[in-house]
Amino acid sequence: MKHPGIFLIGLTGGIACGKSTVLAMLAALGARTIDADRVTHRLQQPGTPVYQAIVAAFGPQILTAPGGAIDRRKLGNIVFNDQAALKRLESIVHPAVRTEIQRFLAEVANAGGYATRLRPVERPIVVIDAIKLIESGWADECDQVWVVTCPPEQQIERLMTTRGMSLAEAQARIAAQPPQESRFSRAHVIIDNSGSQARTRAQVEAAWQQALVASHGA
């Protein structure tokens, strides 16, 4: 085990490939989960050090109102069309997110075993959902890496349908990320989320059973 007391799975994949869907399935199976994007959102609330650093870097025009919340769509339109701006944002956000995730992992490890609806486990299985899992170095700390994938045309359709993006916005978000295939060489498990939810769930449950075995032998 790379983190004593827990079996750590890193969950990643391209935007709108369905990581959140898979994460929810894993939570229902008994995994302890943490979503790096939700941590990021929490850390960007008004008054936090991360919020102040982002506003200082990108200006008050990214806010919904003076002193108000960060408009994630406005900020996204800036950074996903400018690699230098994206790197600047990541240099502010990533260290703070890493600290929060490390705190969560320590809490789970200290809490001990965690019962699932299938059977108790000797040590908790923890899942980190992070789109930058590999780029940020988290993959090196995981016992397994799971990659969720779907065709680019599905990514675009989902971004336009569920997030209200224009075609150009959706294409820019996808273009700003590494190709999906670049993650495959690091994957212990690849979940194809291009079909029905039942098909995805079957893949997740099969991989979960393998993770249970691996966690007992770790």
Side-chain angles (χ1 to χ4, degrees), residues 134-195:
I134 295 170
E135 297 87 342
S136 65
W138 268 114
D140 298 330
E141 300 187 32
C142 294
D143 297 292
Q144 290 185 354
V145 172
W146 293 23
V147 176
V148 185
T149 184
C150 73
E153 55 268 25
Q154 278 191 319
Q155 290 179 278
I156 291 172
E157 180 186 355
R158 290 168 181 172
L159 287 171
M160 293 174 67
T161 301
T162 64
R163 305 195 196 185
M165 292 186 186
S166 67
L167 176 61
E169 286 175 325
Q171 289 173 330
R173 292 295 178 96
I174 294 169
Q177 297 180 355
Q180 290 192 54
E181 295 77 11
S182 67
R183 301 179 177 93
F184 292 171
S185 64
R186 299 296 303 275
H188 297 80
V189 174
I190 297 176
I191 302 292
D192 177 3
N193 190 38
S194 63

Side-chain angles (χ1 to χ4, degrees), residues 4 25 37-38 44 54 96 163:
M25 292 176 180
D37 190 57
R38 291 193 177 193
Q44 291 179 356
I54 291 173
R163 305 195 196 185

Side-chain angles (χ1 to χ4, degrees), residues 14 24 35 60 71 73 92 104 106 112 123 125 130 136 172 194 202 204:
D35 182 337
D71 187 319
R73 188 163 180 175
I92 295 169
F104 173 79
R123 59 183 59 86
I125 297 179
S136 65
S194 63
V204 170

